[in-house]
Amino acid sequence: METVTSSIIFNVHSPINHALLIFVDLLVIFISIFLLVHKSSIRNVSALPEPRFPSGVAIISAIFNCGLAVVYLGSGSYTLVEKLTKEKIISPLDEWLVVLLQGLAWLLLSITLCLKRAVPYTMLLKVFLALAVLLSAFLCIPSLLETVAREDISVNRVLDVLLFPGVVLLLFSAVPGCSYEASGLHGTEGEFSRPSQDDSLQTNDKSTTPFGKAGYLSKLTFWWLNSMMKKGKEKPLEEKDIPGLRKADKAHTCHAIFIEILSKRKQKPSPDSPPILSTILLWQWKEILVAGLFALTNVLAKSGSPLLILAFIQLAEGKHAFKHEGYALSVALFLVKSVESLSKRQWLFRMRLIGLQVRSVLCTVIYEKLLKLSSASTTMPVEIMSCVTIDIYKISEFPYCLHHAWTTALQLFLAFLIVYYCVGVAAFATAIMIVLAVVGNFPVAKFQQKYQVKFMNDQDKILQAISEAVMTMRVLKLYAWETRFKKVIEGLRNQQYRWLVGLQKVMGYSLILFWSSPILAPIATFWACYVLGIPLKTSKVFTFLATIGLIQEPVKHIPQIFSAFIGARVSLNRIIKLIEAQQLPNQDTSVPRLNWEECGYTIHIKASEIAWNGNFLRPTLRDVDLMVSPGERVAICGEVGAGKTTLLAAILAEVPHINGVVQLRGKVGYVSQTAWIQTGTIQDNILFGSIMDPSRYQETLEKCSLLKDLEMLPFGDLTVIGERGVNLSGGQKQRVQLARALYQNSDIYLLDDPFSAVDAHTATNLFNQYVKVALSGKTILLVTHQVDFLPKFDSILLVSEGKIVRGSYNELLMTSEAFRNLVNKYDSAASQNTKEVLRDTALTGTSKIFQEDTKENLNASDQLIKREERELGDAGIKPYLQYLKHGNALLYFSLSNFMQCLFLLGQFAQSVLLAANLRESSTISKPLILVLYGAIGCGSIFFLFGRTFFLYLLSLRASTSIFSKLLESLFRAPMSFYDSTPLGRILSRVSSDLSVVDLDIPLKFSLALGSTIYVYFGFALFVVLAWEVLVVIIPTIYLVSVLQEYYYASSRELMRLEGTTKSLVASHFAETATGAMTIRAFGEQNQFFLKTLYLLDNNASAYFHNFSANEWCILYLEIMYAIIISASAFFMTMLPHTEHTSGFIAMALTYGLSLSGYSTLALQSQCDLANMMVSMERLEQYMHIVSEAPDVIEDNRSPPDWPSNGHVEICDLKVKYRPNTPLVLRGISCVFEGGQKYGIVGRTGCGKTTLVSTLFRLVEPTEGKIVVDGIDISTIGLHDLRSHFGIIPQDPVLFHGSVRFNLDPVSEHSDEEIWEVLEKCQLMEAVREKPESLDALVLKDGTNWSMGQRQLFCLGRALLKRRKILVLDEATASIDNATDLVIQKIICTEFNNSTMITVAHRIPTVMDCCKVLALSDGELVEFDDPKKLMNEDGSLFGHLVREYWSNTGSS
């Protein structure tokens, strides 16, 4: 058998191979001499920056390799002398010449690489290093195998084996890491990569990670991380404690390199889609190659372990190869396991780092796309959010599995060679079983891809629905539609659940297939040995089983590789689809300023058609020929839906289809019709990235009538505004927008109906101070429905029937019938209540707001938007129990792990059977042993089925329960929660966190506990066979526990910080999606892009240090386990034993080898699970939100016809939004009689909308009560209350869906009723023009309908409901006066028997009310007949009336 064995081992010392080695050595010697002598090559690279090399590694490398070369030279010289003295001849030459040349070549190679460190930049060095690696591999592997096979040692073979670690040291000392700090960047840096002051300030807040300056040994051992891990143990880590990234890893650097490579590739013949994947590979190929070298080292080290186990088993059987062999084998085993651990940790760490860089790049590319997306694009913001929160993270995880593809194949091949050595041709039975397992995976991959695509598509729909519901929650609660929308989301989840079931089934099948193959393979192989007559010896059998244990890991990786590949492919396709979405053709809408005298205009449009959808047969505007001179004031007016906003959008190049030309000359300031407010302070919103100029800032506040409002706010202009400005009134939001535009000091101002949301006094003051004074000399285009402002403009644009008519006020009155009708309708509204014209020139207070001491007295905890909540410290088993309490998960988890224990016991029983009965003295026949072995294996597979089944149930039941409770909690949350919680925080939980719970936690839970059980089971086996090993096991386990404490203390906080910083990224993307038009108009894309880079770097820093800490922990734990395994092997083989115990020692050694893999799996699973449980913590936070009052109180239901009269009594009502804020309403008491019409008036911010919110219980009273028809509204359910009231809200909200769905989402009315309402609302013609009629599409937020049309939709909803109490909350602020008059007539006719409560800015709206309630600073000032109040001296209402009509009279 020994001869056969020797013949199959590759003999590197054959004459022909010696000739090949001599040739390679001569080539290396020639190149070394050339590089040492040739000086010009050094000079050529002298201009490059000197790379920093770790001197310690260079010294160690030089000493080791030069010493190795000297020993080679000595060995060759000794062989030559021996031949001359004993044989008197020097032939054959190859026996000594090859050794001498090898020594000389290695000496010159070491000197060249260690002393000439500028050479690494030459191509010649790459060839040089490649030869060195090939040479060392060519000598090391065969020599190692030959040494084990022959069971003896020679000096030459030892030297050949040591060449490999020598060349690794040479690589570390000769090849510098990529240093972007030194080398800089070349080429373009992308469209939005310009550095700025803000960027420098942001990036200097943090110190750079020690990883950037660490030496190679520090990087190799993760020593650079110790300082942060120590700090994490001392106290919970905060964001400021986490160092910043290296420049090479920052989003700015990665984006610049990626864009440069991508732009070069796009210059080549255009492919079908953007070459994203190939560009990433081209960018990262060097780092991928370096990681591949570590992966190769890992595979080689891992494959050597079974051979060492074979030597240990033979040693236990009394077969000594040399003296003190046990010591040598123990040290060798420790070194091999250490190299295996070091190489794997570096392999995985580097691939994680590549994934981080890829993630940052893809986020920046998508954000750039977001800034370019057309408003007419069908890409929804939620699709972008899904890509950012889910798809990009899947792609960034793919590099982690990249090298597993080829390392798995290589490891299987090397394992096959060892198996062949152990069992001969029976190894082909093992190969067949593995091949069958691989082939069986292909249908799994096909179904997994199908289910993955379906799952992600439904995930997009769920995110879209939740996003829309969260953003419109106030309206949903006012209409009592939360339940309906919740059922829609539940229906979408049920659809997704089908694909989740499919995914879990496929994953379960895959787990069974690949965990059972290492059980079935030995059964088939042993029977093949029996049939073929191959003897089953203890040493060979357990070496074979140890090798099968090695096969189990790569086989286990095969489904993970398929899964990662499929997930990354699906996600990449979705990202490419997003990148290919329709975008605006030109982003630079603000061209450089020119000399006005030379160009003669600031705005020029000449277009035959302007359309949103590319259908020029029905364009929005036709035959537009407009030229606006510098300093000209132009008003734009027209009926609702005429195209006024479209004209401004066309000027801003926002309309995708313009058949003509649009030109601008100068910087643009834009105020949108729907206010866009950023989350942040009022000051931040006004400055909008500009530098603070106190005098200009103060003047801006005065001109925008903001001083008094800021005095009322607790933090003044440093008050944090909630998302979408939720803690500001509609008028305050518009004035903040106006201030933002004014502070930019632009040349052109495009104002889209900004005065409709403010009261008459404020509108007049704004027009006089803002338009006429502050914008004096500026070019102004103002869209307005307030006819009284029109005479004060230089010219007027009347938009009617798709065409534009231009002229002065008087000219249009004389020539345009449409304009006359518009003015006459307004005059008829005004003539109903003509009063004395008095102009109030009083200005708001001028107290100074911008004061430094204001900031000193602030308490950030009192702000509306607080820092995102996160757990601190050790949460213990709390998050695990939180997960297991859902859907009987604890029961299924227990059953799953019980089955896992039985599965492990089955494997143990198989090993015991072989250990006890393979010796020659055994009385049990071989066939019986094999039958029993196979029966136990089949039983283990049954338990494997059981474990997978219970795991499947655990996953589905827990996911269903968690989603249901999360959704219920979100929809039952009060409005105060949504006012203080940015959308991104919610979306990050229902996307990435929920995805982790759906797909990842169940598997990690099972792996963590099952592998941990296996590890401690192996320790117990060691102790039974050699109790002396306790001397090593006990202190090592203690050190392991201490190390894990250090890790968990830091890792928990890092994971939590990663979650919170990820929410900030998601919020920023969501905010940009809604305000992209404003950002483009101001030309602030670069500022927002830089903020994106900052947020991405913050998130990436937490992620980087988190996975670095993971590798740090596993590295040192693996080394400790290597100490245990090596010591256990030494004690078990060196201590006295009998023939009966040798088989059990072989079994224990086999377990010890697999124990290394299982310990790594246990540690990795525990670390991953601890990190994943942060997602459960974050979900749990939103599953226990303090809810509103119950929807229905069964013991106190309101009557079906309630309210029958509409009598409303308000008793001493006091309201505050939060406990630590002042009262907003202060003791209001009044009575609204049934069937009457009441008006509520007051200055902006006086509490009008708060009173309405309290009536609908969006805000609960602090004191007092509201009684409607004898029922205290606080005693009945919220659904009973809100569903019996009607409202037309202040903000006209439309939902994504059809016209029918927007009017009647609960499907309570017939089509005939809907058409009747559309006719009354003057929407019938607009709907009939749509080919789909009632099924016509309404985009998210109703962006394909004008603001006035959206308000008419809200009127239609009220007409359909026809409730006894109707509230109009400034409902006609966004429509022209003529349409307002028509609507008021419709309301008076349709609701003549209802109690109407009207909140309005337009005085004519409340003039026909029986009583008017006037509020001031939250107090009831007046409540009486409007005519009576106007005649009273000092009346607030009379004052408001005179202010309103003063402007009308002057016009």
Side-chain angles (χ1 to χ4, degrees), residues 893-957:
F893 176 71
S894 303
L895 291 173
S896 172
N897 285 287
F898 176 68
M899 290 292 179
Q900 173 75 11
C901 292
L902 293 179
F903 171 72
L904 294 178
L905 286 174
Q907 289 185 309
F908 175 71
Q910 285 182 303
S911 299
V912 169
L913 179 67
L914 296 177
N917 296 287
L918 284 182
R919 64 182 187 276
E920 294 181 1
S921 59
S922 174
T923 58
I924 303 178
S925 64
K926 290 294 187 293
L928 181 58
I929 294 174
L930 296 182
V931 168
L932 292 174
Y933 186 88
I936 296 172
C938 292
S940 298
I941 293 175
F942 172 78
F943 296 135
L944 184 62
F945 268 98
R947 188 202 76 164
T948 307
F949 175 72
F950 289 122
L951 185 66
Y952 164 81
L953 291 179
L954 180 151
S955 172
L956 296 179
R957 300 289 172 83

Side-chain angles (χ1 to χ4, degrees), residues 1205-1257:
N1205 185 32
H1207 180 87
V1208 180
E1209 182 179 357
I1210 302 176
C1211 306
D1212 192 27
L1213 186 65
K1214 296 179 182 179
V1215 175
K1216 62 172 63 175
Y1217 281 101
R1218 287 176 292 149
N1220 54 347
T1221 57
L1223 289 171
V1224 181
L1225 296 181
R1226 306 176 183 181
I1228 293 178
S1229 297
C1230 60
V1231 175
F1232 297 153
E1233 298 294 341
Q1236 301 297 317
K1237 183 176 181 182
Y1238 295 88
I1240 302 177
V1241 296
R1243 303 284 190 201
T1244 298
C1246 67
K1248 302 186 295 294
T1249 300
T1250 302
L1251 181 58
V1252 172
S1253 298
T1254 310
L1255 180 62
F1256 284 82
R1257 291 178 65 188

Side-chain angles (χ1 to χ4, degrees), residues 829-838 1241 1402-1414 1422-1446:
S831 63
Q832 296 176 10
N833 296 284
T834 304
K835 294 293 172 184
E836 179 183 1
V837 177
L838 294 174
V1241 296
R1402 292 175 177 166
I1403 296 301
T1405 306
V1406 298
M1407 291 303 296
D1408 59 344
C1409 293
C1410 64
K1411 284 188 179 182
V1412 171
L1413 186 152
E1422 299 165 347
F1423 184 56
D1424 210 335
D1425 181 89
K1427 296 182 177 61
K1428 181 179 178 181
L1429 290 174
M1430 285 194 302
N1431 295 323
E1432 290 183 2
D1433 294 334
S1435 168
L1436 174 62
F1437 178 71
H1439 191 62
L1440 293 174
V1441 171
R1442 286 190 292 274
E1443 286 176 351
Y1444 183 83
W1445 293 118
S1446 64

